[in-house]
Each structure stands twice: as structure tokens, then as C-alpha cells.
Amino acid sequence: QSALTQPPSASGSPGQSVTISCTGTSSDVGGYNYVSWYQQHPGKAPKLMIYEVTKRPSGVPDRFSGSKSGNTASLTVSGLQAEDEADYYCSSYAGSNTLGVFGGGTKLTVL
Amino acid sequence: QITLKESGPTLVKPTQTLTLTCTFSGFSLSTSGVGVGWIRQAPGKALEWLTLIYWNDDKRYIPSLRSRLTINKDTSKNQLVLTMTNMDPVDTATYYCAHRCRYCSGGSLDYWGQGTLVTVSS
């Protein structure tokens, strides 16, 4: 199973919005509404930010939102804050007999 | 409150077998629907799924490493054990265990251990 495709980097100024894309295939992103997004600060474990494409776990600010169209999912961070600077990974379900697949990660820089 | 913590050697030699333990609290691996997995991350690289075990002992493995990986659980100790044979320098990575979110469909991981860095070098 191939990794999902993410841009290596993204950036925005404080207060702005930035969108990170995650492209897969009809066997993963396009086939299920089960895309997750994780935030990872340097030296820390990943943190679940979005699940089932659009849902936020308790405690995740509503500045983080997810969407999907066809084989591409997106994470939008609105009202950028310095603390949002981190690596972001998407992940997709790919069937009951698989583990799923991660994206290559996107480094978000807050300018 | 769910917590997970990985433990094991920080340095292994090439060809050796790696054994990592994940000790968790706040849930039981004998409860229906529960799953715990191992994910690794090579330095500066992306996350990579390794394996997952469910409460009913159903197991999933990444196909490319299937012959080298074994996952087992000890529900009485609230532990998970990962074994990886024939270690190679390319296996140098931080190894995480993580809890599969029970209220999420699609296998999201809602709680993660802090990770343990394993270096493979002679």
C-alpha cells in the first residue's frame, strides 16, 4: 500500500488560514469517509486532530477542520497561531484486512 | 485516563531481535472493540504502521514486514509485546504504541505513548 501524498511544506502568517492536502486513491481516501489528521510537534508523539474526515476529538480547537473531495482530503487551520507550527500527517482507512496508510507529512510553518 | 508507555532496548545490533513492551492503563485489551497498535517513525521521516492487535486476538501486520513481526498481548499485565527479528540499521526509528479510538470508525489512534528510540548499530 502506497503512502498518501502530502505537500512537504505549508506556511501562513498568524491569523491567516492554511490548507494541507492529502491525496490517495479510491482504495483508501476516496473509498471511505475515514480520514484522520495528526499533529506532531518536534520530539513529541502525534496527536489526533481530526477523525472521520470532519470530526474533532474533545479539546481540539474548532480552528481545525477537515474535508474531502474524491480521492483528496484536506485539513484547514484557520486563525493560525504560533503553536500550530508542527508536522501534520493524514491517515486513511483502507479496508478491514489492512492497517491503513499514512501520508508523508507536511511541515506547517507559522511565519 | 488512558496512558501508554513503551519500553525496551535503545540499542540493538544488526541481525538481533528487538523486543518492545507497551504498558498501558485506563482500558483493557479484553474489552470488546479495543485495539492497540505499533507505529514507527525513522528520524526525519513519516509515520509507518507496523501492526495492530484487537481484543479478540485478531492481528494485522504491514505486508512488507510481516515475516519479521510478531505482536502479542498479556491482558493480565495490561501489556503488549512487539517482536521484530533480523534488525537492520534502516529499522532505526522511534517506536510508538497507540490506542485505537473506540468511538471513531476507521481506525484512528486517539492515545499515543511517548515513543522509544531504537538505534540499530554494531
Side-chain angles (χ1 to χ4, degrees), chain B residues 98-109:
Chain B
H99 173 269
R100 186 177 181 275
C101 174
R102 293 187 65 200
Y103 61 82
C104 316
S105 294
S108 302
L109 301 165

Side-chain angles (χ1 to χ4, degrees), chain A residues 19-98:
Chain A
T19 297
I20 299 170
S21 63
C22 169
T23 301
T25 69
S26 58
S27 296
D28 38 64
V29 175
Y32 309 93
N33 288 322
Y34 298 148
V35 175
S36 306
W37 289 91
Y38 300 88
Q39 176 192 65
Q40 186 180 35
H41 286 110
K44 300 295 186 182
K47 174 186 177 183
L48 180 65
M49 303 300 282
I50 296 286
Y51 66 99
E52 293 178 31
V53 178
T54 62
K55 298 178 181 179
R56 284 186 309 276
S58 175
V60 173
D62 60 7
R63 302 184 294 102
F64 292 85
S65 62
S67 62
K68 193 189 86 167
S69 178
N71 295 337
T72 299
S74 299
L75 172 72
T76 298
V77 186
S78 305
L80 271 175
Q81 299 182 4
E83 67 210 50
D84 300 332
E85 186 163 293
D87 293 326
Y88 291 84
Y89 292 91
C90 62
S91 176
S92 176
Y93 181 77
S96 60
N97 291 325
T98 74

Side-chain angles (χ1 to χ4, degrees), chain B residues 52-113:
Chain B
L52 175 73
I53 189 166
Y54 291 99
W55 84 101
N56 59 359
D57 214 37
D58 191 12
K59 302 170 186 178
R60 298 284 182 270
Y61 295 96
I62 182 174
S64 59
L65 295 172
R66 175 60 187 96
S67 62
R68 298 174 53 205
L69 293 173
T70 303
I71 187 171
N72 284 302
K73 59 182 174 68
D74 185 334
T75 53
S76 66
K77 294 182 180 179
N78 278 354
Q79 289 182 334
L80 199 63
V81 176
L82 173 71
T83 301
M84 190 168 185
T85 62
N86 194 25
M87 293 293 284
D88 183 272
V90 300
D91 297 313
T92 294
T94 296
Y95 288 74
Y96 295 98
C97 61
H99 173 269
R100 186 177 181 275
C101 174
R102 293 187 65 200
Y103 61 82
C104 316
S105 294
S108 302
L109 301 165
D110 57 350
Y111 292 93
W112 294 65

Side-chain angles (χ1 to χ4, degrees), chain B residues 7-10 12 16-22 38 70 80-85 87 116 118:
Chain B
S7 59
T10 57
V12 297
Q16 286 187 335
T17 294
L18 171 68
T19 300
L20 293 175
T21 300
C22 174
W38 287 96
T70 303
L80 199 63
V81 176
L82 173 71
T83 301
M84 190 168 185
T85 62
M87 293 293 284
T116 185
V118 177

